[in-house]
Amino acid sequence: STVLAAACGCTVAKAGNRSVSSACGSADVLESLGVVANLSPSQVEECVEKCGIAFMFAPVNHPSMRFVAPVRKRLGVRSCFNILGPMTNAAGAQHAVIGVFDGDLAPLMAKALKEVGRVDHAVVIHGVGLDEISPLGPATILEIKNVAPPGEPKVYEEKTFSFDPLDVGIPRCVVEDLKGGGPEQNAEEFRKVLLGGDHTDAKRDSIVLNAGVGCYVYGMTDSIADGVSLARKTLETGKATELLQTWVEVSNDIAKK
């Protein structure tokens, strides 16, 4: 969904890692697609400037985490580091979409975001058994938004609401419709999902939903529904596929310098 959000016009700095407590990490998939995932912070900045999207590999941006990774791998279960990761975006992003695997964590994470005071607009999402919005069912969204004038200390408005994909014309699916596999399989599925055209399925619907939320939080649209509409139109044009190829080329060119 980050590629689609960037194709819509958002500037995206995605933080992620290789597989630690799951079957496949975002870095694994991106590397299978041909994206260079382990760029240095200065290279990430250059990549964002050139194509509007970049990946921030956790061991590079948070080198001390290399001591934790083997322990997390051996544990093989979610831990506090699954919560810390999304909260420590090294780009200092002012707009953030964060997913939580347990709905009870949303207020805790929102409070932490407000205390740090970095973000201007953020949402913390808990879906139906997932840490994102999906066609499986309604998602609970906790939204915080800075309403203070520019330059003034941040003052946050907070609200919690439910968002149902049915309200934007996206039908229900079952979890099997969204399942992936290893890095190569997921990379191939990702390429298919980004293809232009008006065909759809549960996976395409899912990235449209999440990119739509990203467009709303970034300020591209005034509502999630409008964000979903923008994401759908952008996906159908094939711009997301074009951007993915550009990202592959730019990240490799930068890595060779």
Side-chain angles (χ1 to χ4, degrees):
S1 63
T2 54
V3 175
L4 179 54
C8 290
C10 303
T11 299
V12 178
K14 176 174 173 55
N17 205 343
R18 292 198 175 91
S19 172
V20 177
S21 60
S22 61
C24 182
S26 51
D28 301 312
V29 178
L30 289 174
E31 287 176 337
S32 293
L33 289 166
V35 175
V36 177
N38 60 344
L39 297 179
S40 69
S42 62
Q43 290 174 323
V44 166
E45 184 177 357
E46 182 181 353
C47 192
V48 168
E49 289 175 352
K50 288 186 173 179
C51 63
I53 186 170
F55 184 77
M56 298 180 297
F57 188 40
V60 174
N61 288 279
H62 303 290
S64 61
M65 289 297 100
R66 71 182 185 276
F67 300 113
V68 178
V71 178
R72 292 185 65 196
K73 191 76 172 179
R74 290 182 66 184
L75 285 172
V77 295
R78 290 168 175 151
S79 67
C80 63
F81 293 99
N82 292 81
I83 304 169
L84 284 174
M87 302 284 286
T88 54
N89 185 297
Q94 290 86 44
H95 305 85
V97 177
I98 298 174
V100 289
F101 56 84
D102 184 335
D104 291 338
L105 292 171
L108 177 67
M109 296 181 79
K111 183 177 180 181
L113 288 171
K114 289 191 291 185
E115 287 289 334
V116 173
R118 182 182 67 195
V119 299
D120 281 318
H121 193 183
V123 292
V124 185
I125 299 170
H126 176 62
V128 179
L130 298 174
D131 59 357
E132 61 181 37
I133 292 180
S134 79
L136 290 171
T140 300
I141 301 176
L142 197 164
E143 178 180 13
I144 61 171
K145 190 172 185 179
N146 174 37
V147 294
E152 296 292 323
K154 287 183 171 59
V155 177
Y156 290 104
E157 285 186 348
E158 178 180 321
K159 64 178 179 179
T160 300
F161 58 95
S162 178
F163 180 83
D164 194 328
L166 291 176
D167 294 336
V168 290
I170 291 179
R172 291 282 189 264
C173 73
V174 295
V175 69
E176 286 75 18
D177 296 329
L178 300 175
K179 280 187 175 178
E184 292 295 336
Q185 179 184 340
N186 286 353
E188 183 56 34
E189 289 290 334
F190 191 61
R191 290 188 187 95
K192 292 178 182 177
V193 163
L194 292 185
L195 290 173
D198 59 4
H199 61 289
T200 194
D201 56 27
K203 290 179 180 177
R204 281 172 71 88
D205 286 343
S206 187
I207 71 159
V208 162
L209 283 168
N210 286 280
V213 174
C215 289
Y216 165 63
V217 172
Y218 193 78
M220 300 286 294
T221 61
D222 293 328
S223 68
I224 293 177
D226 288 344
V228 170
S229 177
L230 173 61
R232 177 77 72 187
K233 291 175 183 176
T234 303
L235 180 65
E236 291 178 353
T237 65
K239 287 181 181 178
T241 293
E242 294 172 7
L243 178 60
L244 176 60
Q245 185 55 42
T246 300
W247 188 11
V248 170
E249 294 170 359
V250 169
S251 67
N252 277 272
D253 288 344
I254 291 172
K256 291 174 184 176
K257 292 181 180 179

